[in-house]
Amino acid sequence: MAHDSVILIAGAGPVGLAAAVELTRRGLPVRIIDAGEGPTPPEQSRALGILPTTLAILSASGVTERLLTEGARIGGADIARDGRKLFSIELARARTPTPFILSLPQGRTERIMIDWLAARGVAVEWGLGLDDIIDTHRPQAVLTNGETVAARAVIGCDGIHSRVREAVGIPWRGEGYPGEFSLADVRFSAPIDATRAEVNIRSGIGASALLPFGTHSGRFIGVGGSPEALYEGVEGIEAVTWTSRFTVAFRRAERMAKGRVFLAGDAAHVHSPVGGRGMNLGIWDAATLAFLLAEGRETEYETKRLPVVDQVLKATRQMTDTVSQPGGAALRLLPFAMPLAGRVPTIARRIAERVLALDLPQPEWLAADAGRNRDAG
């Protein structure tokens, strides 16, 4: 049985890896396992958008520097109806050092964190999952190879079908959502503007978007229809590298902690991809828990995270309803209201900050870290 000072992380996606990075940089010993064979395949972009709060969180470890080197910086979005441009949203108005969405395929984000951990002697144990948890207050985790690990804490970052959540009996509540989303990753033969997203409100269908993740690559995503319908008629597509159709739900765990067992990311909450909050919200969970564990305040985790999770679920549901209803009042008003709002600096700033999720509570330790960095300088 392993020593019980270790913190066991189940799941090595972006959330589990961020937990390992944040705990390691704070001097806490970790072990990270994953039942899969390796990180997300390079051809599947999956979670693309990295928001300013995530960049601020990962800055202290140095991971952000690598992310910024490799990612595309989306500084705004052009909104059209049936291909005719209506207005633009400019993210530079937001009050943040990084007023953009960093677009980077999930597999690259994962590999950057895996490399950071490996340089510090922490290796992901692939092909090894969690089977059961004995005692939530002094956790003993039974692994799929028969090993029992006595841990200071167990963090479930193992996705929507979390074995950690099931093992400790935390209920899953919420509801599914009607309709399907489709996405298609494509490669263009000529360069595209990697700094601009494009949103098209399609009459009778709903909204679709093109999110670049390089000068020759982008993702089409939309509600309803097939992946092929998203890029039908678009010129200059050299190859389609990945497509997917999926349904979404709005659910969360009834609790995010039970004793010294904690849930983060999709193990604790799921919602639609509209707004790009999913991976980021999970990384904020992981970083908050790492901070609290380092401070001996982990009992505060649920009270700090559940209100934020509920706020995001509510806002994301509203945004999803808007883009899914092409004849809805909200979409009909956009062409008139948004150009007017963009001319008022304070309103334009608030719009940019909401797009970047800067309207959500920011981690309490970021200001303190910034102060220490200024003092050190």
Side-chain angles (χ1 to χ4, degrees):
M1 185 179 295
H3 194 269
D4 64 1
S5 66
V6 73
I7 297 170
L8 179 68
I9 302 166
V15 175
L17 291 167
V21 167
E22 286 294 288
L23 288 164
T24 298
R25 81 167 179 90
R26 294 180 184 278
L28 300 180
V30 302
R31 185 173 176 187
I32 180 168
I33 62 173
D34 193 292
E37 298 179 357
T40 298
E43 68 274 11
Q44 299 179 11
S45 62
R46 295 193 179 270
L48 270 178
I50 304 173
L51 297 174
T53 300
T54 302
L55 294 173
I57 285 170
L58 296 175
S59 178
S61 62
V63 167
T64 290
E65 185 177 352
R66 285 281 311 279
L67 296 173
L68 290 172
T69 298
E70 297 199 22
R73 304 182 186 196
I74 300 176
D78 299 319
I79 317 299
R81 180 184 289 279
D82 295 325
R84 183 174 65 84
K85 183 177 175 181
L86 300 174
F87 60 90
S88 297
I89 296 173
E90 303 302 334
L91 301 182
R93 300 174 185 269
R95 293 168 295 184
T96 172
T98 53
F100 49 81
I101 299 170
L102 188 73
S103 182
L104 186 65
Q106 180 176 319
R108 285 304 310 143
T109 299
E110 291 174 354
R111 285 168 175 80
I112 286 169
M113 288 193 279
I114 289 169
D115 290 347
W116 187 96
L117 289 166
R120 289 152 183 83
V122 179
V124 178
E125 298 177 60
W126 299 107
L128 182 61
L130 182 133
D131 186 57
D132 203 1
I133 295 176
I134 303 167
D135 189 352
T136 57
H137 291 280
R138 299 190 65 181
Q140 296 180 43
V142 182
L143 307 186
T144 52
N145 64 356
E147 179 186 1
T148 298
V149 178
R152 174 185 167 185
V154 176
I155 309 176
C157 305
D158 49 346
I160 187 172
H161 301 295
S162 171
R163 178 59 193 145
V164 173
R165 188 183 67 242
E166 293 174 353
V168 298
I170 296 177
W172 194 231
R173 72 183 195 189
E175 60 185 4
Y177 192 82
E180 280 189 323
F181 280 78
S182 294
L183 66 82
D185 287 352
V186 304
R187 188 168 63 247
F188 293 94
S189 55
I192 61 172
D193 186 352
T195 69
R196 307 295 298 182
E198 297 178 7
V199 179
N200 188 25
I201 302 167
R202 301 171 296 168
S203 297
I205 302 175
S208 65
L210 171 61
L211 307 174
F213 53 92
T215 56
H216 286 81
S217 301
R219 166 189 290 175
F220 288 97
I221 185 167
V223 182
S226 66
E228 293 75 20
L230 293 171
Y231 56 83
E232 185 179 6
V234 177
E235 297 181 357
I237 294 178
E238 183 178 79
V240 179
T241 57
W242 182 54
T243 64
S244 179
R245 294 180 71 167
F246 55 95
T247 57
V248 299
F250 291 83
R251 307 186 195 276
R252 76 160 171 84
E254 191 171 272
R255 305 180 58 184
M256 291 180 70
K258 191 169 184 179
R260 302 188 67 78
V261 179
F262 305 92
L263 302 176
D266 287 354
H269 44 75
V270 293
H271 51 77
S272 89
V274 177
R277 303 289 191 265
M279 176 183 68
N280 292 277
L281 185 61
I283 290 174
W284 305 343
D285 293 340
T288 299
L289 181 55
F291 165 71
L292 293 173
L293 282 164
E295 296 285 313
R297 296 166 48 195
E298 56 268 27
T299 56
E300 301 175 26
Y301 177 62
E302 268 192 325
T303 59
K304 288 186 175 296
R305 295 309 299 162
L306 277 178
V308 180
V309 168
D310 286 338
Q311 185 179 345
V312 170
L313 286 174
K314 180 180 178 181
T316 306
R317 178 61 188 258
Q318 291 172 342
M319 287 189 285
T320 304
D321 287 342
T322 297
V323 301
S324 300
Q325 299 170 7
L331 283 185
R332 289 201 307 270
L333 288 173
L334 273 179
F336 308 100
M338 289 298 292
L340 292 174
R343 296 191 188 107
V344 181
T346 55
I347 297 177
R349 188 189 70 224
R350 288 174 187 167
I351 292 169
E353 291 179 352
R354 185 169 187 188
V355 171
L356 295 173
L358 294 169
D359 57 330
L360 295 173
Q362 299 298 292
E364 65 181 82
W365 71 89
L366 287 182
D369 282 355
R372 281 194 291 271
N373 290 340
R374 283 196 300 270
D375 292 343

